Amino acid sequence: MAMLLLGSLGVAAAWVLVAMALDAQSSWMALVAAADAALIVRLVRLRPGLSRAIFGVASTLLAILVANWAIVAAWLGGYMGLLPWESMLKLGSGFALLLARLSNSATDLAWIAAALVVAAIASR
C-alpha cells in the first residue's frame, strides 16, 4: 500500500510540474499515472485478478485527484501570492471541486476516463 501511495503522489507531483510548465491542465498525464500504477502493482507482486485491478484504478484515481487539487491550488495561490503548498493547505474542498470542474474540459475528462480504463486493464 505504501508503494502505491508513494507512486501516486510522485506521478501527481510530476503532473503538476508539467501542467505548470505548459500552463495547461495536461490531463494526458493521467495515462502516465495509469501506467505507473500498473507497473507498481506488478512490482509489488500482488496476485493477478480483480483485486490488483482495483488497486491499480484506486492508485490512478488518487494521482488524478491530488494532481487536480495541486494544479488548482498552485494556479489560485499564484494570484494570491502564496506558494503552491501553502495554497493547498488553505484551499477548501468545495472551492477546489468547483475550480477543478471549471478547468477540466470534455477532452480532459476523456483523458481521465481513458486512464482509468487503461489502469483497470493493465493492472489485472
Side-chain angles (χ1 to χ4, degrees), residues 5-83:
L5 178 65
L6 207 60
S8 296
L9 295 178
V11 167
W15 185 346
V16 172
L17 289 174
V18 168
M20 293 297 112
L22 298 177
D23 197 27
Q25 198 66 9
S26 302
S27 293
W28 53 268
M29 283 289 292
L31 291 175
V32 175
D36 181 62
L39 179 66
I40 290 174
V41 295
R42 290 174 189 273
L43 286 176
V44 297
R45 295 190 177 127
L46 291 176
R47 277 196 177 162
L50 182 62
S51 62
R52 191 162 85 173
I54 289 171
F55 280 120
V57 170
S59 177
T60 304
L61 188 60
L62 178 65
I64 291 167
L65 293 174
V66 169
N68 274 288
W69 181 286
I71 290 168
V72 166
W75 174 79
L76 185 62
Y79 287 111
M80 299 173 70
L82 296 172
L83 294 171

